[in-house]
Amino acid sequence: MVVCGDDGLAHRLAAELRGVYREQVTLVVPPSGRRVRQPVVGRARAASAALRDMVNAAVNRTGNSDATGGTGSTGGTGRELEATEPTEDVLADAGVERATALALVYDDDETNIRAALTARRLNPRLQLVLRLYNRRLGQHIEELLDQSAALASGGGPGSGSGSTTVLSDADTAAPALAATALVGTSKVVETDGLLLRAVERNPPRPGEVADPGLCTLALLSATSNDPAGADGSEDSGENGPQLLPDAAAVEAATGRGTVALEQVSYSGPPLPAGRAGVPAFGELFSRRLRWSLAGLAACVVALAVALMVVTGDHPLHATYVTLLDLFSINEPAHNADIGRQILQLLSGFVGLLLLPVLLAAVLEALGTFRSASTLRKPPRGLGGHVVLLGLGKIGTRVLTRLREMDIPVVCVEADPEARGMATARRLRVPVVLGDVTQEGVLEAAKIHRAHSLLALTSVDTTNLEAVLYARSVRSRLRVVLRLYDDDFATAVYRTLRAAHPRALTRSRSVTHLAAPSFAGAMMGRQILGAIPVERRVLLFAAVEVAGHPQLEGKTVGEAFRAGAWRVLALEVSDGERAAGADSPSEGARESRLVWELPDTYVLRGSDRVVLAATRRGLAELLGRRARRGVDV
């Protein structure tokens, strides 16, 4: 395996491949002096003592804390090469021509694409994994590279040519970051057109029966509600989280919360498309102006009816004459009867009232269009919203997720040209421009009435300072803190938790959540998503049953292995129906995925299933360990 990158994701991915999948990895990184960010472990340790002192001093000043910080560990990465760019010579030195898979995880999309085109020419059978932020471009690049591999190998897509997978670390981490900031909001992972959510449920009371949903994914730590407990470690022993427990373990667990899987078909209003910044016609005018226009229209209709009654004219002609009188362009009715003269005077009076209303409508419409193309300000009386700091790559994806769930958001960004400013305008999200460390910026975002705070800027000290200040303003504010350095995050996590024992602390890391998906794709699997369970990660993958003796020819119940993997759904073609389905509603006529499979259903080689698995379980089930004779 070859991994090329210039930040912490490359080191985390290399460690994932070596530690979980036991692969030989060659890591290509820029020279130490030109790296965008040095490895996570090492840079943090050099200043860990000073950082801990800073955190302790800050906490002592505020006396409040509730943060989540990102951590990551790299471990050994095997062979390491230093190169400024992944040129053809560098890729050849890394052994791409003999490699099984190549991951290009540079922060720049253009660098990844250029290297992928070169690597595909060097090795058409190479499994390529690209990190691209642009989703639409990623789809086109994926198709182009797959077609190139098929032609270079002299066959079609099934001729053994290498495949290409395009992933985004922002898309992988955004659902978890958004869910962490919301009490009671589910952890969401998006599969192929399907939306799954993992719901944390409190321990059932005596006499209550817990609803397992589609299935029980995990048992939470016995110390998850204890501030002095072991929550936050990836492996905390018997009291730690148990992924994919069997029925006996679920029944035996007492006083422990669970994570249940649910299927949802709708996550909120669809994102605006096209001219989404232009408001609907009803939003152009205020409610008072709409009532004024409706009243004037009613007066015109009443005058037309009265004229028709008085003169006996046709309704269309009576309406036409009324409009002429309304706009004062009709001949004076001094020779007509008294009724006609009174109606003409009333029409002229209504016309005078119409002029200021029309002028107000024009000015209000122009102002509405102008505000639709500019940044909105937080409205008065706003409360219960999420304050999002930073509209970079991660912040933009999290903002989109929050709006998909119809959650009110106020963004704070110092750079008016930031990546996510256009998205905020399109979604009509209020934005406060300013440095979050300056006094009054968080107040402008209504932090004192906010529900939670997401600090997702790329500067660790900025995130920490914003969180500490927000906690001093509102002690019970729920916060999510993104930190890059490993030791810094650990120091912040432990110190803040100890200083505020009543606040439940959660820790999330972008690289920690993204690396398993990239590693799984390098192994040739389609990773649908990842859901964090405390500090561990549960993967969802679509797998072909053929070629896997642990699945093929076995029933769903026999294929289940507690703590490793579990079959969740069966993908069927249109018009087919899974054996054992009790009603047409369970078949593929309504959905291509059949859920709640009976334990007696026998998995065939032609089936394609969606399963949940731990990282090590997925490595044992589908990795090279099985082909090396490891008993799984």
Side-chain angles (χ1 to χ4, degrees):
M1 300 289 178
V2 179
V3 178
C4 302
D6 58 359
D7 60 6
L9 179 59
H11 294 271
R12 179 80 191 192
L13 176 56
E16 188 84 12
L17 292 171
R18 285 178 55 84
V20 177
Y21 297 96
R22 299 293 187 265
E23 292 290 339
Q24 297 179 359
V25 182
T26 297
L27 178 62
V28 180
V29 293
S32 300
R34 300 191 60 180
R35 291 179 188 173
V36 176
R37 288 188 175 182
Q38 297 179 14
V40 176
V41 177
R43 184 164 75 101
R45 289 177 180 173
S48 60
L51 293 175
R52 287 191 182 95
D53 294 340
M54 172 187 173
V55 174
N56 292 330
V59 172
N60 291 333
R61 287 195 303 266
T62 59
N64 299 310
S65 66
D66 183 10
T68 64
T71 62
S73 109
T74 57
T77 54
R79 183 188 176 200
E80 181 173 323
L81 300 178
E82 291 189 349
T84 304
E85 294 183 359
T87 61
E88 181 175 350
D89 294 337
V90 172
L91 293 177
D93 292 341
V96 168
E97 297 176 354
R98 304 178 305 277
T100 302
L102 167 66
L104 298 167
V105 293
Y106 290 94
D107 192 55
D108 180 48
D109 287 1
E110 182 180 352
T111 302
N112 293 328
I113 294 174
R114 184 169 59 249
L117 296 174
T118 303
R120 179 59 78 211
R121 178 167 49 84
L122 294 176
N123 188 354
R125 297 181 180 275
L126 185 68
Q127 176 78 22
L128 277 176
V129 179
L130 276 72
R131 172 190 185 184
L132 295 182
Y133 180 80
N134 191 325
R135 304 186 212 181
R136 182 174 299 179
L137 177 61
Q139 294 176 357
H140 295 308
I141 292 297
E142 188 172 322
E143 296 174 359
L144 175 64
L145 292 175
D146 284 345
Q147 183 178 1
S148 174
L151 294 176
S153 60
S159 61
S161 59
S163 62
T164 306
T165 304
V166 176
L167 297 174
S168 170
D169 56 332
D171 286 331
T172 304
L177 289 172
T180 306
L182 305 170
V183 177
T185 300
S186 305
K187 302 171 184 178
V188 179
V189 58
E190 186 176 0
T191 64
D192 295 335
L194 181 70
L195 205 62
L196 303 175
R197 63 179 180 180
V199 184
E200 289 190 11
R201 295 175 175 170
N202 295 325
R205 297 178 181 177
E208 292 183 351
V209 179
D211 182 12
L214 293 176
C215 68
T216 299
L217 293 178
L219 294 174
L220 297 177
S221 298
T223 58
S224 60
N225 292 323
D226 181 9
D231 181 33
S233 62
E234 295 188 27
D235 186 7
S236 47
E238 297 181 356
N239 293 327
Q242 296 182 17
L243 302 184
L244 302 176
D246 54 19
V250 175
E251 293 178 0
T254 57
R256 300 179 65 169
T258 61
V259 177
L261 182 68
E262 294 183 353
Q263 177 183 359
V264 293
S265 58
Y266 183 67
S267 62
L271 290 178
R275 293 173 57 88
V278 179
F281 177 79
E283 298 180 3
L284 289 177
F285 311 116
S286 63
R287 183 178 181 183
R288 181 179 301 177
L289 186 58
R290 290 198 300 268
W291 277 109
S292 299
L293 290 174
L296 289 175
C299 291
V300 173
V301 173
L303 290 172
V305 172
L307 182 61
M308 181 182 62
V309 173
V310 171
T311 62
D313 287 345
H314 188 273
L316 291 179
H317 185 266
T319 303
Y320 173 71
V321 173
T322 301
L323 292 176
L324 292 179
D325 294 335
L326 189 71
F327 296 113
S328 301
I329 57 177
N330 196 11
E331 292 292 337
H334 54 81
N335 293 327
D337 55 18
I338 187 65
R340 174 71 182 88
Q341 293 176 353
I342 294 175
L343 288 177
Q344 189 176 57
L345 291 175
L346 291 176
S347 298
F349 179 72
V350 174
L352 293 176
L353 297 177
L354 180 62
L355 289 178
V357 175
L358 290 179
L359 179 60
V362 172
L363 295 178
E364 191 169 290
L366 291 177
T368 303
F369 275 100
R370 183 170 60 252
S371 62
S373 60
T374 58
L375 296 176
R376 295 166 56 96
K377 295 182 179 180
R380 295 181 179 178
L382 179 65
H385 58 287
V386 175
V387 177
L388 175 62
L389 308 184
L391 286 176
K393 183 172 61 174
I394 303 299
T396 303
R397 290 289 192 254
V398 173
L399 172 62
T400 302
R401 291 286 182 174
L402 292 173
R403 293 306 299 135
E404 286 177 349
M405 294 184 285
D406 199 23
I407 297 170
V409 184
V410 174
C411 300
V412 179
E413 175 59 51
D415 183 10
E417 302 297 330
R419 186 194 297 263
M421 296 298 286
T423 301
R425 290 190 182 95
R426 189 182 78 246
L427 300 178
R428 306 187 68 193
V429 174
V431 178
V432 176
L433 286 176
D435 187 354
V436 70
T437 60
Q438 299 297 323
E439 186 177 356
V441 175
L442 284 178
E443 284 80 357
K446 315 292 184 184
I447 192 66
H448 56 284
R449 292 200 298 265
H451 175 275
S452 55
L453 170 67
L454 274 164
L456 302 180
T457 69
S458 58
V459 182
D460 291 355
T461 54
T462 299
N463 293 335
L464 177 60
E465 184 176 353
V467 166
L468 293 177
Y469 179 75
R471 297 293 298 175
S472 66
V473 174
R474 186 177 180 184
S475 60
R476 295 188 178 273
L477 180 69
R478 183 176 180 85
V479 297
V480 178
L481 176 62
R482 173 192 175 191
L483 295 177
Y484 180 82
D485 289 329
D486 181 42
D487 286 353
F488 189 21
T490 303
V492 171
Y493 175 85
R494 293 176 178 174
T495 306
L496 294 184
R497 183 164 184 168
H500 195 76
R502 294 186 179 181
L504 295 179
T505 305
R506 295 293 180 264
S507 180
R508 299 291 180 260
S509 168
V510 174
T511 57
H512 180 82
L513 296 174
S517 296
F518 281 82
M522 291 186 71
M523 301 299 295
R525 266 96 59 189
Q526 183 182 4
I527 303 297
L528 302 178
I531 287 180
V533 179
E534 296 182 4
R535 292 280 298 161
R536 305 182 67 183
V537 175
L538 196 62
L539 301 177
F540 293 82
V543 178
E544 300 286 347
V545 174
H548 303 297
Q550 300 90 346
L551 303 177
E552 189 173 4
K554 295 187 177 181
T555 64
V556 173
E558 294 172 345
F560 170 55
R561 178 175 173 182
W565 61 77
R566 178 172 186 167
V567 176
L568 300 177
L570 173 68
E571 182 176 337
V572 294
S573 303
D574 293 338
E576 294 182 1
R577 185 180 301 174
D582 298 329
S583 64
S585 62
E586 295 179 322
R589 300 182 188 276
E590 296 184 1
S591 174
R592 297 188 68 246
L593 288 175
V594 178
W595 296 88
E596 299 182 2
L597 289 171
D599 290 340
T600 56
Y601 175 76
V602 180
L603 299 175
R604 300 168 296 180
S606 59
D607 289 339
R608 188 169 185 261
V609 296
V610 175
L611 53 85
T614 62
R615 292 180 296 177
R616 293 188 180 276
L618 192 61
E620 294 178 4
L621 176 64
L622 304 173
R624 293 185 176 182
R625 292 192 202 174
R627 294 195 291 270
R628 292 172 183 168
V630 178
D631 184 14
V632 296

